[in-house]
Amino acid sequence: EADIYQTPRYLVIGTGKKITLECSQTMGHDKMYWYQQDPGMELHLIHYSYGVNSTEKGDLSSESTVSRIRTEHFPLTLESARPSHTSQYLCASSEGRDPGWGGEKLFFGSGTQLSVL
Amino acid sequence: ILNVEQSPQSLHVQEGDSTNFTCSFPSSNFYALHWYRWETAKSPEALFVMTLNGDEKKKGRISATLNTKEGYSYLYIKGSQPEDSATYLCAPSDWGSARQLTFGSGTQLTVLP
């Protein structure tokens, strides 16, 4: 059973606010990911991390930033939210070989649905 | 970013029917393919990880095949049940994708009782 948690589940916020989406996992996985999904569209990778103090941008450009100070914690921050940031954000983790190299599967959190008014 | 196509986009079947859907991807430089099931209000859950041409994987009533030479994978569900209702996502990778997966937009399956 995967243990990866995201909070909040839903967030409605006004333009210009700073927000942080939380993601934590208790499985000790080194690799963590943030995906973004607009309605009816694909999941796109926006950030990933291979361990503490390691972060990389994904294939979809994002104004968000991430940090990885502890293995279990991978928060995503938007300094100034805009309506264009309205989307679903999914956090995931994996262990071992990269999923793209035929390695281990991704474990996903339940997502944060962000609405910026 | 890979061009990944899943068809059909949505599908309604009766309970007990068998069904299948397709994931198409560029065959050149293929490395791996994942299948995930995503039920409403839940987290996506991994079904299969496949790497070799001709791979066949099975999990209960769900199975998948992989053809890397022509660039497609089929997902089959035998005797669909209402609990199979979900969006099924495929995610291939290739040598150029920096070890990351590219997700398709999914096939939304509804199984009617």
Side-chain angles (χ1 to χ4, degrees), chain A residues 33 35 37 42-43 45 48 50 88 90 97-106 108-110, chain B residues 1 31-32 34 36 38 41-44 46 49 51 89 93 98-105:
Chain A
Y33 312 82
Y35 287 87
Q37 186 191 37
E42 302 88 350
L43 284 169
L45 182 68
Y48 60 99
Y50 287 152
Q88 176 158 225
L90 277 164
R97 291 179 68 194
D98 292 286
W101 276 3
E104 296 296 326
K105 58 190 177 183
L106 291 169
F108 283 93
S110 52
Chain B
I1 298 176
Y31 205 95
H34 292 220
Y36 290 84
W38 193 357
K42 294 189 178 180
S43 312
V49 178
T51 57
L89 302 171
S93 66
R99 302 175 287 179
Q100 304 301 340
L101 301 172
T102 300
F103 281 85
S105 54

Side-chain angles (χ1 to χ4, degrees), chain A residues 97-104, chain B residues 2 25-34 49-53 55 66-69 71 91-102:
Chain A
R97 291 179 68 194
D98 292 286
W101 276 3
E104 296 296 326
Chain B
L2 295 178
F25 50 86
S27 57
S28 58
N29 302 319
F30 169 87
Y31 205 95
L33 184 131
H34 292 220
V49 178
M50 310 172 81
T51 57
L52 300 176
N53 184 48
D55 248 355
L66 178 65
N67 184 324
T68 63
K69 295 188 186 307
S93 66
D94 71 355
W95 289 92
S97 61
R99 302 175 287 179
Q100 304 301 340
L101 301 172
T102 300

